[in-house]
C-alpha cells in the first residue's frame, strides 16, 4: 500500500494542490477578516470571543478542502475511469481494490493534513493581522490559540470522512461535474453556519457525515472488481 501511495504521489504531481492550498489560505484569511470586520460594524454575526472567530475559520477551511478533495477524486479516479486510462493500472499485478484504496487513502491524508495546517495558518494570520489592525475587541492569547488548534482535530477527522461522499456521485456515471457539484451540496449541509443553530459545530452531525463518507468509500472499494470500465 505504501508503495502504491508513493506511486500515486509521483504520478499526479501534487504541486498544483500545494499551490492551490496556499492561495486558498490567503483568500480564506482575507474573507474571514472582511466578514468579521463587517459583522462587527453591522452586528449581523455576534463575534464576542476567539471561539466565535475560530468557528468561522474552521467552517471556511473545512468547506474549502472538502471541495478540494472532490477535485482530487475527480482527477485521480473519475477522470481515469472516464478516459479509460485506469485500464493501464488494472494491468499491474495488484488488485483493483488496493489500487482504488491507495487513491482514496492519499486523498483522505491530504485532506486531513491541509485542513489541520490551514486552520493553524489562517488562525495565525488572523492573529497577526488583528495585532496590527484591530478587527475584534479582544486579544488572542497563546493558550487560546493552542486550545482551539487541539479542538479542531475531531472536526478535521470528520471533514476527511465527509470529503469522500462525492466519490459515490462521481462513480455513478463517471461524471466530474457530479463529483464536484455534490461536494458543494455536502458543504452546504456540513458547513452551514448560523449563530442560533450552527450545524458546523454540531459534532454528532459532523462525525455522522464523516462515517457516511467512510462507508461509501468502503462499499465502493469492495465492489470495484464488479465495476465495468465502459
Amino acid at each position: 500500500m505504501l508503495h502504491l501511495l508513493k506511486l500515486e504521489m509521483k504520478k499526479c504531481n501534487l504541486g498544483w494542490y500545494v499551490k492551490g492550498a496556499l492561495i486558498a489560505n490567503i483568500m480564506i484569511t482575507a474573507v474571514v477578516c472582511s466578514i468579521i470586520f463587517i459583522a462587527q460594524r453591522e452586528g449581523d454575526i455576534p463575534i464576542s470571543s476567539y471561539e466565535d472567530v475560530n468557528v468561522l475559520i474552521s467552517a471556511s477551511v473545512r468547506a474549502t478542502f472538502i471541495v478540494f478533495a472532490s477535485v482530487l477524486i475527480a482527477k485521480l479516479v473519475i477522470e481515469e475511469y472516464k478516459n479509460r486510462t485506469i485500464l493501464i493500472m488494472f494491468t499491474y499485478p495488484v488488485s483493483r481494490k488496493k489500487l482504488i484504496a491507495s487513491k482514496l487513502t492519499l486523498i483522505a491524508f491530504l485532506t486531513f493534513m491541509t485542513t489541520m495546517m490551514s486552520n493553524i495558518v489562517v488562525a495565525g494570520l488572523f492573529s497577526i493581522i488583528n495585532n496590527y489592525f484591530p478587527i475584534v475587541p479582544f486579544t488572542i492569547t497563546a493558550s487560546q490559540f493552542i486550545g482551539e488548534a487541539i479542538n479542531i482535530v475531531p472536526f478535521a477527522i470528520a471533514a476527511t470522512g465527509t470529503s469522500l461522499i462525492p466519490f459515490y456521485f462521481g462513480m455513478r456515471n463517471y461524471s466530474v461535474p457530479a463529483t464536484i457539484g455534490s461536494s458543494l451540496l455536502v458543504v452546504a449541509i456540513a458547513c452551514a453556519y448560523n449563530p442560533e443553530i450552527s450545524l458546523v459545530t454540531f459534532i454528532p452531525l459532523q462525525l455522522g457525515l464523516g462515517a457516511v463518507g467512510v462507508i461509501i468509500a468502503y462499499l465502493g472499494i469492495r465492489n470495484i472488481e464488479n465495476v465495468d470500465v465502459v
Side-chain angles (χ1 to χ4, degrees):
M1 179 66 78
L2 184 60
H3 178 69
L4 288 173
L5 286 172
K6 291 180 179 178
L7 182 63
E8 282 296 330
M9 291 183 71
K10 289 181 179 179
K11 187 181 74 171
C12 66
N13 187 12
L14 295 173
W16 66 270
Y17 184 86
V18 175
K19 292 178 182 177
L22 291 174
I23 294 171
N25 285 343
I26 295 172
M27 293 181 67
I28 291 171
T29 303
V31 170
V32 167
C33 288
S34 300
I35 290 175
I36 294 176
F37 178 80
I38 295 172
Q40 289 292 99
R41 299 297 181 274
E42 301 294 332
D44 296 331
I45 304 175
I47 305 292
S48 59
S49 66
Y50 181 58
E51 288 74 13
D52 296 327
V53 174
N54 193 67
V55 167
L56 188 56
I57 292 174
S58 176
S60 301
V61 168
R62 278 183 273 157
T64 299
F65 290 102
I66 287 175
V67 175
F68 266 54
S70 73
V71 175
L72 284 173
I73 292 172
K75 183 177 179 64
L76 299 184
V77 183
I78 307 304
E79 282 188 350
E80 291 201 356
Y81 266 94
K82 185 176 181 179
N83 300 330
R84 299 172 62 86
T85 53
I86 195 74
L87 292 173
I88 298 174
M89 297 195 69
F90 286 165
T91 61
Y92 296 168
V94 181
S95 70
R96 291 187 180 187
K97 291 181 180 180
K98 286 187 177 181
L99 287 171
I100 303 302
S102 67
K103 291 175 179 288
L104 295 182
T105 300
L106 176 61
I107 293 167
F109 173 76
L110 289 172
T111 301
F112 176 77
M113 292 302 298
T114 49
T115 299
M116 284 296 301
M117 293 177 65
S118 294
N119 267 281
I120 295 172
V121 169
V122 173
L125 289 174
F126 178 84
S127 299
I128 293 171
I129 293 171
N130 190 63
N131 285 336
Y132 289 96
F133 307 97
I135 301 173
V136 290
F138 51 83
T139 57
I140 301 169
T141 65
S143 59
Q144 286 178 318
F145 185 88
I146 295 172
E148 292 301 328
I150 294 173
N151 290 338
I152 198 62
V153 173
F155 288 101
I157 293 172
T160 301
T162 303
S163 69
L164 298 176
I165 293 177
F167 175 68
Y168 167 77
F169 295 95
M171 286 296 287
R172 293 189 66 181
N173 296 303
Y174 305 139
S175 171
V176 170
T179 306
I180 298 175
S182 63
S183 73
L184 298 177
L185 178 61
V186 169
V187 164
I189 298 171
C191 300
Y193 178 74
N194 187 302
E196 296 180 0
I197 303 175
S198 182
L199 298 181
V200 75
T201 57
F202 189 50
I203 191 63
L205 172 66
Q206 300 299 321
L207 293 176
L209 288 172
V212 169
V214 172
I215 293 171
I216 284 175
Y218 169 74
L219 293 176
I221 293 171
R222 188 188 68 175
N223 298 323
I224 207 70
E225 302 287 351
N226 302 320
V227 175
D228 295 326
V229 184
V230 294

